[in-house]
Amino acid sequence: MFDLNGFAKQSYEVAKQRGTVNAETMLKHCATEVVEAVQAKNAESRQNYIGELADVINCILILSANENIDIEMALTQCLEKNTKRVQEGK
């Protein structure tokens, strides 16, 4: 099993070395990475697309570490919520 919380903490430490880490900055950076992922997908550049998706995920992991969020638990709850919606036909 992959330790997302540990990975988030490591990514956060690297991000702190690169500059200030706060929610607003990270969310804006994440939005930029999403736009770049769309551009890479539209350009049919698979390797760039993969890298941009990783950047989006990494932004979220950094933010979760900054906010002391157990991202593994949050993702588990999200999966359970969406599974329940499927089962209910929503």
Side-chain angles (χ1 to χ4, degrees):
M1 190 67 153
F2 194 79
D3 177 15
L4 278 180
N5 289 321
F7 193 89
K9 288 177 186 173
Q10 288 179 320
S11 294
Y12 172 74
E13 292 302 323
V14 170
K16 278 196 326 186
Q17 292 175 19
R18 294 181 67 197
T20 303
V21 177
N22 64 57
E24 184 176 347
T25 301
M26 288 310 303
L27 288 169
K28 287 179 179 179
H29 184 71
C30 185
T32 301
E33 297 297 352
V34 169
V35 170
E36 291 174 358
V38 170
Q39 292 169 341
K41 180 69 174 169
N42 288 340
E44 297 183 11
S45 177
R46 182 160 175 78
Q47 198 56 44
N48 286 346
Y49 180 59
I50 291 168
E52 296 301 340
L53 290 179
D55 287 341
V56 170
I57 293 166
N58 203 42
C59 285
I60 298 302
L61 292 175
I62 292 165
L63 184 55
S64 71
N66 185 55
E67 301 288 330
N68 295 313
I69 294 169
D70 182 338
I71 197 64
E72 291 179 12
M73 180 59 70
L75 286 169
T76 298
Q77 291 170 345
C78 183
L79 178 59
E80 290 170 355
K81 172 188 70 180
N82 289 325
T83 300
K84 185 177 180 183
R85 287 180 177 165
V86 167
Q87 292 168 346
E88 294 171 349
K90 295 180 181 179

